[in-house]
Amino acid sequence: MLKRNVLGCKISSVDLPIDRLLWPAMKIADDPEITASSIKSKLLNSIIVSVGRHGKYFWMRLKQPKMEHTQVLLMHLGMTGRIKLCNVESELVFMENGGDKKLLEEELAKEKDKNVVTSSRVKMAMEVGQKQGVQRGNTEVKIELEGETSSWPPKFTKLEMTLRQDSDHGNEEFWAFVDPRRLGRIRLLEGEEIQTDEGLLKTPPLDLQGPDYSKPPTRCLSDPSSAVFVSGDPDPDHHGRPRPSLEEFSQVVLKSKKTIKSMLLDQARFAGVGNWVADEVLFHAKLHPEEVLPLKIKLDSPVLYTLYKSLIHVCETSVALEGSARRFPENWLMRHRWGKGRKRDGPHQTAEGILLDHITVGGRTSCYAPSVQKLLKPEPGVNKVQEKPQKGTKTNGDGVSITRTNKVKRRLEQQDERKVKDKDKDKDKGGVEVKDKDEIEDKDEIKEEVEVEEEEAEQQQQQRDLETNVIKTNKRIKIEKVEPKTNVVRNGIRKSARLRSRLKPTID
């Protein structure tokens, strides 16, 4: 959308509210108002010369008329951010919070025109339409497009700019960055190192991003502003960070001990792969989200090839269709994975009738098809990685962990065995237990020691009682000696009543 509408435009006005969360530069600034004023002055009169993207980040490269170097407005939409252009239609639909119902209503309208019901999803759409008051006789269902806004600026606008095309007297475009939950980020970058897109990827925060699997492995060095852009990928160049080959990809996957779902969400390895994209990739690859591949497969396993191709296919197709859920294939999981907690008449399933379920993997909700995505069996020759025993545990010769409880239990059993053996040795042939002389002598010695200890304890107690009485007597004597002085007035101040009340019982 940006490449089709804003290239060559001049920024004529900027409305920049102070937001420490959205702008990292304001967060670390001593005075955010000064920082906001500086950003605003740098954006004014800039011309948008190019746009680019990598993973979940995208940017507009800006150039001031009298300046040689360019600056970059780097943006991240987060979970709820979006770019809106006034009076410009967009096919973007947020599937969360009922966005998937819009697609159901659209299918209802289309199928009413055709008078044909082709899938179970359309039946669900008709039910949703009836519940929301859609009349059967009316074939037009109003779908609110993202570009159609009743008022401007839109609600939750965090950055608003007015763009002019060609000259100061050209047509105006109204541009807005909208983010209800404020999870997005905007940065204005400057410097020698960001003058090229390849250098931009080497600066924070893009330097921590992995390869983007939606981009081809070869470079695309054509001028992005030279050709007229119609649709598809607005920036197919990988900017010096190509996607790995199958062999490199396989090594990355088998080095990770995470579940396959958590690994795909790692932006340092797979830039741009979000929650629904990871679920879609695993659905195509027929892998369970909780699968840990290093414990199941080898380096030359065909599972890795299927996963590699599925990842490229989903990423490339999503970018080619510009993320429009309306244009995604009907057999994709993405169109059917939403509405987890929504009441429905039938089971949660795809258009092909495949039942779906939701689980939590790595703290993220994962949608998968249990009948298709099953846990793998270990391939022959795969060495299982034994988990390290917890602290305080040991292993026996077979590598089985022995907990502290088992150790104590075993020790008690050994003691019982020794007692039984000792009793057997002490018994004579007739079965009469014989007491050893040494044992009798030991008991006598123990009895004498106990008596001595009791005598010593009694003497010590008497000594303590005597010392206590002496201390009490000394205290009484001291108090009696002090008593006459307590009533003496010194410097016009009498002793406190609290001290007198404490001494009164003793005086009496």
Side-chain angles (χ1 to χ4, degrees), residues 4 16 32 36 46 53 82 96 140 142 145 158 202 215 241 243 300 311 317 336 340 362 401 423 426 478 484 498:
R4 281 191 294 267
L16 178 59
S46 296
R53 68 170 191 89
R82 69 189 73 178
E96 294 180 341
E140 295 181 1
K142 182 178 179 181
L145 296 176
K158 304 303 178 182
K202 296 179 182 179
K215 298 188 175 186
R241 198 167 295 172
R243 69 187 180 205
D300 57 349
L311 177 61
T317 305
H336 313 277
K340 172 185 174 182
S401 62
K423 288 182 179 181
D426 293 340
K478 289 180 179 180
R498 185 175 62 182

Side-chain angles (χ1 to χ4, degrees), residues 157-388:
T157 295
K158 304 303 178 182
L159 174 62
E160 181 188 3
M161 297 188 297
T162 302
L163 311 178
R164 291 186 180 273
Q165 295 181 348
D166 300 331
S167 64
D168 294 338
H169 302 286
N171 297 329
E172 287 186 341
E173 294 281 358
F174 298 98
W175 183 100
F177 186 100
V178 181
D179 189 4
R181 296 177 61 182
R182 300 169 65 205
L183 298 174
R185 295 293 181 268
I186 306 178
R187 296 174 173 87
L188 184 62
L189 304 180
E190 301 175 291
E192 186 70 29
E193 63 277 2
I194 59 106
Q195 296 308 307
T196 62
D197 291 340
E198 186 172 347
L200 178 63
L201 260 65
K202 296 179 182 179
T203 60
L206 294 176
D207 58 335
L208 300 178
Q209 298 292 302
D212 189 334
Y213 281 76
S214 67
K215 298 188 175 186
T218 57
R219 296 294 301 267
C220 180
L221 301 177
S222 60
D223 186 1
S225 60
S226 60
V228 177
F229 177 73
V230 179
S231 65
D233 189 353
D235 182 22
D237 187 20
H238 58 66
H239 306 301
R241 198 167 295 172
R243 69 187 180 205
S245 61
L246 175 60
E247 292 75 14
E248 295 170 338
F249 169 82
S250 301
Q251 293 177 359
V252 170
V253 171
L254 294 183
K255 284 182 180 179
S256 175
K257 297 181 181 179
K258 297 180 180 179
T259 60
I260 185 62
K261 172 64 182 293
S262 299
M263 184 192 63
L264 289 175
L265 294 177
D266 187 358
Q267 299 300 299
R269 294 186 176 98
F270 307 99
V273 176
N275 196 37
W276 77 263
V277 175
D279 286 347
E280 193 70 49
V281 171
L282 296 178
F283 178 72
H284 286 265
K286 299 181 179 180
L287 289 175
H288 195 281
E290 294 179 324
E291 192 69 80
V292 182
L293 292 182
L295 304 181
K296 300 291 185 68
I297 62 175
K298 295 184 292 186
L299 187 61
D300 57 349
S301 174
V303 175
L304 293 171
Y305 175 80
T306 304
L307 178 61
Y308 181 70
K309 291 299 182 181
S310 300
L311 177 61
I312 295 176
H313 168 68
V314 172
C315 292
E316 288 184 346
T317 305
S318 301
V319 173
L321 298 178
E322 299 184 5
S324 174
R326 295 184 177 93
R327 299 163 60 188
F328 283 163
E330 180 66 20
N331 61 350
W332 273 33
L333 182 68
M334 195 270 185
R335 301 193 63 180
H336 313 277
R337 69 186 304 275
W338 311 98
K340 172 185 174 182
R342 187 184 306 155
K343 293 182 180 180
R344 56 182 69 246
D345 297 334
H348 205 87
Q349 60 184 357
T350 66
E352 299 174 347
I354 301 176
L355 298 180
L356 303 178
D357 195 7
H358 294 83
I359 58 176
T360 301
V361 182
R364 303 295 300 274
T365 300
S366 302
C367 181
Y368 77 112
S371 61
V372 176
Q373 301 170 250
K374 298 180 179 180
L375 292 172
L376 301 175
K377 295 181 179 180
E379 295 181 353
V382 177
N383 296 324
K384 290 186 178 181
V385 179
Q386 294 184 357
E387 296 183 359
K388 294 183 179 180

